[in-house]
Amino acid sequence: MSANIVIVEDEEDLLELLEYTLQKEGYETIGFLNTKTVAQILEEEEIDLLIMDRNLPGVEGSEFVEELRYDGIDVPVIFLSAKDKDEDVEEGFVRGGDDYLTKPFNMKELLLRVKSILKRTSKKVSEGKLSYRDMVLDKSTRELKVDGKNVEVTKLEFDLLCEFITNKNSVLDRDYLLENVWQDSQNYQYKTVNVAINRLKEKIDPDKTKDYIQTVRGVGYKLC
């Protein structure tokens, strides 16, 4: 799957060159000449990386990133800046940057840094969060959001939903769920699984309009 990269650079020619080069490597890009609507895009879209200049009209780039971090937006950031003193670079990292490349720069080096950060952070994200339709499970905090709203679930219900999303293309039978979620297929009955799934369905779909989990008669359950 292609990564989505936002680039904020006020030199139009350089912005076009960056977009062209990254798209040629297979990345999707969204370019901006200032920061006016960047925060909104980061909140609304799945963005994998932000390449940020510092000398921008309006808000200075590293101050903007510091505000993003304060607001809980943790998208990885590479600063691409003519500010090249040691204290400038240090300031960039202190304010929330993940990497720093000074201008003039080598395009091949930028591509290598982009690839390196995406490889490192995509693994971290995939280990930390699971998503399906409008559900997002944060495995580090064990929080579930449905359509952007927190839904309180028990540890068992959370683990059950994780199992379904991890195996979203498969039908899971009750023996499998007892073995992998309850981790005890000897002392529990199929009825235990049925009751737990019905309770989970009530919590994630109280209006019974989304039908996330479907019963496959005689076999088990699957996501739909």
Side-chain angles (χ1 to χ4, degrees), residues 24 56 87 94 106-107 115 131 134 150-151 174 208:
K24 198 174 169 186
L56 295 165
E87 54 265 35
V94 167
N106 180 290
M107 192 65 78
K115 188 175 180 181
S131 62
D134 60 357
N150 282 318
V151 175
R174 293 169 181 83
K208 296 182 172 58

Side-chain angles (χ1 to χ4, degrees), residues 52-101:
M52 170 70 65
D53 188 12
R54 290 190 61 182
N55 294 314
L56 295 165
V59 182
E60 195 271 349
S62 68
E63 291 178 7
F64 177 75
V65 169
E66 190 173 40
E67 289 174 16
L68 293 179
R69 299 297 186 239
Y70 182 81
D71 291 337
I73 297 173
D74 60 358
V75 61
V77 174
I78 297 177
F79 284 115
L80 197 57
S81 177
K83 292 188 173 184
D84 58 359
K85 294 179 182 175
D86 288 349
E87 54 265 35
D88 292 326
V89 175
E90 182 181 355
E91 186 177 57
F93 282 105
V94 167
R95 288 179 171 172
D98 296 89
D99 203 349
Y100 200 110
L101 196 56

Side-chain angles (χ1 to χ4, degrees), residues 120-167:
R120 174 164 49 86
T121 56
S122 63
K123 183 180 178 185
K124 182 178 73 175
V125 170
S126 66
E127 287 174 348
K129 292 186 180 179
L130 288 173
S131 62
Y132 183 77
R133 286 170 58 181
D134 60 357
M135 294 188 289
V136 179
L137 290 83
D138 190 326
K139 294 170 78 174
S140 61
T141 60
R142 300 191 72 80
E143 288 181 340
L144 166 65
K145 287 189 177 181
V146 179
D147 198 20
K149 297 175 183 175
N150 282 318
V151 175
E152 294 292 331
V153 290
T154 65
K155 179 183 183 300
L156 176 70
E157 290 162 348
F158 188 91
D159 291 342
L160 197 54
L161 199 49
C162 280
E163 202 64 46
F164 276 115
I165 293 175
T166 302
N167 299 280

Side-chain angles (χ1 to χ4, degrees), residues 7-10 31-38 56-58:
I7 309 162
V8 188
E9 168 59 61
D10 68 338
F32 295 94
L33 294 167
N34 56 58
T35 60
K36 284 181 184 175
T37 56
V38 174
L56 295 165

